[in-house]
Amino acid sequence: MKLSDVKGERTLDVIAACIGPVCNIGADPQAAELFRRKALPKGMTPMQFMAKRMADGLPALLQGHKSEIIAILAAVQGVAPEEYARELDLKKLFSDLAELLTDQEFGGLFSLPAPTAAAKPSGDALANTGGPAE
């Protein structure tokens, strides 16, 4: 199931359940690299690029963030993490991960921007929003 398939009030529950695990993964630079948007390098096909990114980032994600992966996939499937883990096998893991990682809704909601050296802060948040200054 894709995040984009979740409807109604359950959408809020799924997003709430995913925020913590996604933030934990995002705090790990090696695992988070898999989710950063990157341009296709010259001389590589999209399939070669995807395979390289998976080979570089998936081991860190799978080995270092088991509970987070299970929590995210369980939330999207609408089951408890313990139930999801009991039913987990290789086929289910790869099927569910592939479906989630190719889901534009999930990617748009939880993807990380590519780091740039020229990135400049947009300014003080309170100044930008008109909030009270300290």
Side-chain angles (χ1 to χ4, degrees):
M1 173 178 269
K2 293 184 175 193
L3 185 60
S4 54
D5 294 333
V6 177
K7 303 290 182 213
E9 194 173 297
R10 191 167 101 69
T11 304
L12 300 172
D13 295 332
V14 171
I15 292 170
C18 290
I19 289 173
V22 167
C23 288
N24 287 343
I25 292 169
D28 177 347
Q30 191 175 8
E33 189 63 26
L34 182 62
F35 302 100
R36 292 202 190 283
R37 293 182 183 168
K38 291 188 173 188
L40 179 65
K42 288 184 180 181
M44 285 186 105
T45 67
M47 187 58 90
Q48 290 170 328
F49 184 50
M50 182 185 77
K52 178 170 178 10
R53 293 196 67 197
M54 291 292 173
D56 291 347
L58 209 49
L61 179 66
L62 293 174
Q63 292 171 343
H65 298 282
K66 294 173 188 170
S67 63
E68 288 93 345
I69 293 168
I70 288 171
I72 292 166
L73 294 173
V76 174
Q77 295 294 321
V79 298
E82 299 79 18
E83 180 182 343
Y84 187 86
R86 272 194 309 274
E87 300 297 321
L88 188 60
D89 60 22
L90 188 62
K91 181 181 175 184
K92 182 169 183 53
L93 175 65
F94 281 106
S95 173
D96 290 352
L97 268 179
E99 192 168 36
L100 190 64
L101 292 175
T102 59
D103 184 359
Q104 289 183 339
E105 294 294 324
F106 186 82
L109 187 59
F110 293 116
S111 66
L112 300 170
T116 60
K120 295 179 185 173
S122 62
D124 180 80
L126 293 176
N128 289 344
T129 62
E134 291 188 36

